[in-house]
Amino acid sequence: MSAYCALARLQGVCYTKSDQSRRRGRQVGGSEAGIRQASSSFTGATGDHVPSVGHRRVLDLRLWAIDGVYEEGGEVERRDSSVLRIVLMRHADSESASASTTDFERPVTASGASKVQSIARSLKSLGYIPNLFLSSNSARSRQTHSLMIQAMPELEGADAHFFGSLYTESQLDGHTLPHLMDLIRDLGDVTRHSCVLCLGHNKGWEEAASALAGEKVALKNGDAALFEMDVGAHGWDREARPMDAWRDAMSRVGQKSGWRFKTLLTE
């Protein structure tokens, strides 16, 4: 049974679902976000019954991306509503550079493709379904993204950004984690993003994973280091400061009470 994160946005984007498919719906009238549900009965992630509006079920702004995962048939799997997740992942194994291929253009190998698809399936089984994807713009990173979508179709709906800076700064000592933190502060939106996947290159990715974990973390090609943090336990107030969750989380990088290193997915 496939799952997708219910997203409520300030802009008023909603989602629809038929018996056989899911698709992005048109904007709901009014200034609050909502989700339109085609099934006959639905309960929101807050536990409230959602009133009918014609053939629609509309959820108010209390429904956030971090509130839960919605299964086929409208059932809700509750999650801790203040847990944020980060995945630091290296691109798939790639061919060596040659006289006709630059480092930036190196394509993914067959074995590399198989591994990252296996890692994608493992991420999904653990509940790490990214809805914000920050990546180097190298050919092998873009290929890795496409391969992961094949194994985790939910990833196709993530907000994906590809940056040349994540390719270049990964080679500079101590630059990768601060740069990723800046990007997450700028792009992380708790109404849409509960899990951020950052895809790129060594040496910077091992440095960033080790700094975030507080211990040495070795990342081979296709490996993924998983982190999470309960921002609610550290003073984030979703009512008073709803948009500050990712900024609060980034401010606690390097603190003992901050991000927890959960596991390393590897071969």
Side-chain angles (χ1 to χ4, degrees), residues 65-82:
I66 55 178
D67 275 333
V69 172
Y70 286 76
E71 305 284 350
E72 298 291 343
E75 295 299 320
V76 179
E77 174 193 336
R78 288 300 304 276
R79 287 184 180 168
D80 189 325
S81 62
S82 60

Side-chain angles (χ1 to χ4, degrees), residues 198-216:
C198 305
L199 181 73
H201 311 264
N202 271 351
K203 57 185 173 183
W205 251 248
E206 277 192 355
E207 286 183 350
S210 298
L212 200 56
E215 62 183 84
K216 177 63 177 177

